[in-house]
Amino acid sequence: GMANGRVFLHEKIQDAARSSSGGDSYSIDQIALACILSQPFNGRVLSGAVTSEQLESNMKALELADKMKASGSEEALLLNDIMMTCQIDSETYWKDRSSLMWN
């Protein structure tokens, strides 16, 4: 899964949000949510939407997740690329997390 918005900083997701596929464009949050929604397990996604506009935007992730599930699609290749390059081992994650300053 993806935790604490850290994935939003990842270069692959930022690049994907800047480029468009077949005329579709997706925001970083939509891409991150779609990556989890397209997994073969029964994932749980918390969008964090506060406004109806944010919720509407987050719902577009369902459309992208469906495209990511289509074997061989450009979106499926994007999903694989993101999932392979966004991984972080638990020791590094917890070391980084423990060094964060909390307000």
Side-chain angles (χ1 to χ4, degrees):
M2 300 176 212
N4 307 320
R6 294 163 49 102
V7 73
F8 296 149
L9 303 175
H10 197 281
E11 181 180 320
K12 290 287 183 185
I13 291 185
Q14 290 182 3
D15 287 347
R18 282 190 288 269
S19 65
S20 59
S21 169
D24 294 327
S25 62
Y26 297 97
S27 65
I28 291 173
D29 59 324
Q30 292 164 345
I31 295 167
L33 292 169
C35 285
I36 294 302
L37 291 168
S38 63
Q39 295 302 305
F41 53 80
N42 238 352
R44 300 292 182 259
V45 177
L46 302 175
S47 77
V50 176
T51 66
S52 58
E53 291 81 16
Q54 290 171 332
L55 181 58
E56 201 171 298
S57 173
N58 285 177
M59 294 301 291
K60 194 172 179 188
L62 294 169
E63 172 189 313
L64 179 57
D66 285 342
K67 291 179 180 181
M68 287 178 162
K69 291 177 190 178
S71 181
S73 70
E74 186 176 330
E75 292 83 3
L77 296 173
L78 171 63
L79 171 65
N80 185 58
D81 194 23
I82 289 171
M83 296 307 288
M84 295 304 292
T85 59
C86 285
Q87 296 177 16
I88 184 170
D89 66 88
S90 61
E91 185 175 318
T92 301
Y93 171 82
W94 287 109
K95 181 181 176 190
D96 290 350
R97 185 173 164 92
S98 66
S99 70
L100 294 175
M101 297 196 58
W102 298 96
N103 296 334

